[in-house]
Amino acid sequence: PTLVEALNRFAPSRLQLEDTTGAETTLMTKWHKSRDEHKRERLPYEDTDQTRIWRDNLATINAVLGGHWYDLEDQTGQGEWNEKGEHQSLNWSDPKLSTTNHYKRKLVRIFSNGDFQQGGRFYGGWWQHIPSKYRPFITIDGKPTCELDFRYIHPSMLYAKEGVALDHDPYTTAFDGLHRNLVKRAFNALLNARRLPDPIGN
């Protein structure tokens, strides 16, 4: 009772506990447009041998995640330098950090468009929602981590499918290298579109 009273007294805080025991971890959803915004609607589905395998696998992953502590820490006290030579440091006044709930460590798997052949990515970990500039400060059980970045992964997969090595930045081939971020967004939107002109409105 004393512990419960203490937790209630200090909640809500970034250390607020969240009980997700028994919550569904394999979800099927569909996007639908409501007025001027897109919303994700959860859809019912019948269990199959495959969905049970997915759920069991995710239970194993979540059990491992639950046995470790993930945090943000500047272990050198001097911040980090990114590949562009820019200095980065933890800014706890940033709302995207100050509201981070470090107890969100359980993942769910979301399939989109009402189809188990689409989506299937993992969501839910707090580390997925922080700005990328803070990821170098992620620690696991007090130990530093290293994030591997697969550069231009989608073009690389297309090249590999044709047996060709990609030895340049494909997003700089248009407009003489200008507007790289725009070219990247447009390319990936077109590549992953269900049909044309699906990405035009996004």
Side-chain angles (χ1 to χ4, degrees):
T2 303
L3 175 59
V4 172
E5 181 183 348
L7 290 173
N8 288 334
R9 186 166 63 251
F10 289 107
S13 73
R14 47 189 292 266
L15 297 180
Q16 184 175 2
L17 297 176
E18 183 177 78
D19 184 8
T20 56
T21 303
E24 179 57 77
T25 57
T26 302
L27 310 177
M28 179 185 286
T29 64
K30 182 178 181 180
W31 287 99
H32 69 92
K33 190 171 184 179
S34 176
R35 295 183 182 177
D36 294 330
E37 60 180 354
H38 286 80
K39 293 185 177 181
R40 189 192 296 271
E41 176 187 4
R42 181 174 168 181
L43 302 177
Y45 64 86
E46 292 187 9
D47 252 339
T48 64
D49 290 341
Q50 182 61 70
T51 59
R52 283 186 281 269
I53 290 173
W54 286 333
R55 191 177 296 110
D56 290 344
N57 288 343
L58 193 49
T60 301
I61 293 172
N62 281 328
V64 173
L65 292 175
H68 300 275
W69 181 250
Y70 310 88
D71 215 330
L72 290 168
E73 182 182 356
D74 182 354
Q75 295 194 323
T76 66
Q78 299 177 351
E80 298 280 351
W81 297 87
N82 65 18
E83 60 183 15
K84 298 179 181 179
E86 300 169 334
H87 185 257
Q88 301 172 145
S89 59
L90 287 173
N91 177 14
W92 289 109
S93 63
D94 186 336
K96 293 183 178 179
L97 281 189
S98 60
T99 58
T100 298
N101 185 346
H102 286 66
Y103 281 90
K104 285 186 173 293
R105 293 178 290 160
K106 286 192 175 182
L107 302 179
V108 297
R109 192 171 186 186
I110 300 179
F111 293 86
S112 54
N113 300 321
D115 187 348
F116 281 124
Q117 301 302 314
Q118 299 185 51
R121 295 182 64 178
F122 297 90
Y123 298 90
W126 64 261
W127 52 88
Q128 296 175 297
H129 303 286
I130 62 173
S132 59
K133 62 183 178 181
Y134 297 130
R135 291 177 189 160
F137 301 99
I138 294 177
T139 60
I140 300 177
D141 295 335
K143 298 178 181 179
T145 59
C146 177
E147 180 184 20
L148 298 180
D149 182 19
F150 295 93
R151 295 178 181 274
Y152 20 90
I153 184 66
H154 284 98
S156 295
M157 292 170 66
L158 292 177
Y159 270 66
K161 188 174 181 180
E162 295 300 319
V164 181
L166 180 59
D167 57 1
H168 64 279
D169 185 341
Y171 303 127
T172 60
T173 57
F175 307 117
D176 296 324
L178 300 175
H179 313 294
R180 181 186 185 279
N181 289 339
L182 181 60
V183 171
K184 178 180 178 180
R185 290 183 61 186
F187 173 85
N188 285 289
L190 289 166
L191 180 64
N192 292 286
R194 293 187 301 275
R195 60 186 178 277
L196 294 176
D198 187 65
I200 302 302
N202 295 330

